[in-house]
Amino acid sequence: TTTAIITVNPLPSAITGTPSLIICQGSNTTLGSTPGGGTWSTTATSLITLNSTSGAVTGVGAGVATVTYTAPTGCQRTGQVTVNPIPLPIGGPTQVCVGNCITLTCSTGGGTWSSLTPAIGTINSTTGSFCGVATAGGVATVKYTLTSSSCARTTTVNVSPLPNSFTLSSSGGVTSVCAGSAGVTLCLSGSQVGVSYQLKNSGTPVGSAINGTGSSICFPPQTTSGVYTVDATNAAGCTRSMSGSVTLTVFPIPTIVGPSAVCNLATGTLTATPAGGTWSSGTPGCITIGASTGLMTGVGGTGCTSVITYTAPSSAGSCPATRTVSVSPSPTSITIPRGVCAADTVTVFSSPTGGTWTT
């Protein structure tokens, strides 16, 4: 008879994972079994990476990976690590201006949206509508999580700040001018370097944008009626309407109708549009005129001239218009050489010639 001792070693304990044996692509778990001190191995290298000593696992591809633990005694235990897929890449814009919104998308359905930086930007959990909220801007992190597996994908969105706000006003507070004047200069109380400022009249751009200098800026004089505003745009394309607006009224020059000459000691009348203004004579010793009637009287004798000025009423901007009027000589006395018999003719005379005769 002969005998032998056979030692039966226990199998390693069931494989566990910290936190679990179910992970997402890109996430980690640490495998465990007792007794410790053994080695880990897998043939599913397309699904996971596995540290042979520590048992640290990182999910690579979606699927179920078989892992083997070999204890120091040589006994082995197998287990399975499930790697769930993460959502497909998130689509949509990667930049938004403060106060504006964009829509992010993920073609992997069945998930919800969340913002990891709500102080910079918020997102609608269902629609993916992301809005920039931080006044100073920043980089926001957005997460899309699958409801079925809690696997998620993140992306970042740059939230760009708006240009600083400055106030538009007219130089000297002037808001009305007469047509033909130099116009009104409009200025911003300040500006930023790297920001362009576009003047608009009732929403329509006027001229080219002006680059900020870091101090107040002025636009070329304006000669067209309308409501003027300014939009500022920074390098990120974020636009902000500047505070304040200027309503500019450009009044037309009055139109004068009437004679450009009166006879000495005779009268003539000028009229103007718009009505209601006042008349004045630059040389009242030559021609006088009624301030409200426009009735002229030649008083200075033949050949003198006077510049007649009409000033529109204040409701029309008090704009002036002028007309130069001269005093013409009156014809000499009519000379009749003799009487005229029935069926007879006779020629009468007066000077200057070239006028017309009536009876």
Side-chain angles (χ1 to χ4, degrees):
T1 302
T2 185
T3 63
I5 298 173
I6 299 175
T7 301
V8 180
N9 292 316
L11 287 177
S13 65
I15 295 174
T16 60
T18 304
S20 72
L21 293 177
I22 301 176
I23 60 174
C24 301
Q25 287 175 286
S27 63
N28 305 300
T29 190
T30 299
L31 303 180
S33 181
T34 57
T39 58
W40 299 89
S41 63
T42 183
T43 59
T45 55
S46 62
L47 302 181
I48 60 171
T49 61
L50 176 60
N51 186 293
S52 62
T53 302
S54 66
V57 173
T58 299
V60 176
V64 178
T66 298
V67 296
T68 300
Y69 177 70
T70 304
T73 60
C75 296
Q76 294 181 327
R77 171 78 75 165
T78 61
Q80 292 182 327
V81 176
T82 300
V83 181
N84 288 322
I86 62 173
L88 293 172
I90 295 172
T94 58
Q95 185 269 336
V96 67
C97 300
V98 172
N100 292 342
C101 300
I102 57 175
T103 298
L104 301 179
T105 60
C106 182
S107 56
T108 305
T112 57
W113 298 91
S114 61
S115 174
L116 303 184
T117 51
I120 299 175
T122 61
I123 193 166
N124 184 291
S125 61
T126 303
T127 65
S129 176
F130 176 88
C131 301
V133 298
T135 301
V139 179
T141 301
V142 175
K143 184 178 183 181
Y144 183 74
T145 304
L146 296 177
T147 304
S148 59
S149 63
S150 298
C151 293
R153 185 182 287 269
T154 61
T155 190
T156 58
V157 178
N158 291 317
V159 178
S160 300
L162 299 178
N164 291 341
S165 180
F166 299 102
T167 302
L168 178 69
S169 62
S170 63
S171 179
V174 177
T175 58
S176 64
V177 292
C178 297
S181 70
V184 174
T185 299
L186 306 178
C187 299
L188 272 180
S189 60
S191 66
Q192 289 176 273
V193 175
V195 176
S196 65
Y197 298 87
Q198 177 65 61
L199 181 68
K200 293 185 175 182
N201 182 351
S202 301
T204 300
V206 178
S208 300
I210 295 178
N211 292 326
T213 61
S215 59
S216 62
I217 57 174
C218 294
F219 299 89
Q222 301 303 310
T223 57
T224 303
S225 295
V227 179
Y228 286 86
T229 56
V230 172
D231 284 347
T233 304
N234 58 22
C238 298
T239 298
R240 183 177 193 171
S241 295
M242 299 291 95
S243 63
S245 64
V246 175
T247 300
L248 177 62
T249 302
V250 179
F251 291 102
I253 300 299
T255 301
I256 297 176
V257 177
S260 57
V262 294
C263 297
N264 192 41
L265 302 180
T267 61
T269 301
L270 296 177
T271 60
T273 304
T278 57
W279 298 90
S280 63
S281 174
T283 312
C286 177
I287 298 174
T288 62
I289 189 168
S292 61
T293 63
L295 179 65
M296 301 182 294
T297 302
V299 296
T302 300
C304 71
T305 61
S306 179
V307 176
I308 304 299
T309 300
Y310 175 77
T311 303
S314 58
S315 60
S318 300
C319 297
T322 61
R323 168 72 67 90
T324 299
V325 181
S326 61
V327 176
S328 298
S330 297
T332 61
S333 300
I334 297 174
T335 301
I336 304 176
R338 61 178 175 81
V340 61
C341 301
D344 192 6
T345 60
V346 65
T347 302
V348 295
F349 300 93
S350 181
S351 64
T353 60
T356 56
W357 296 91
T358 59
T359 183

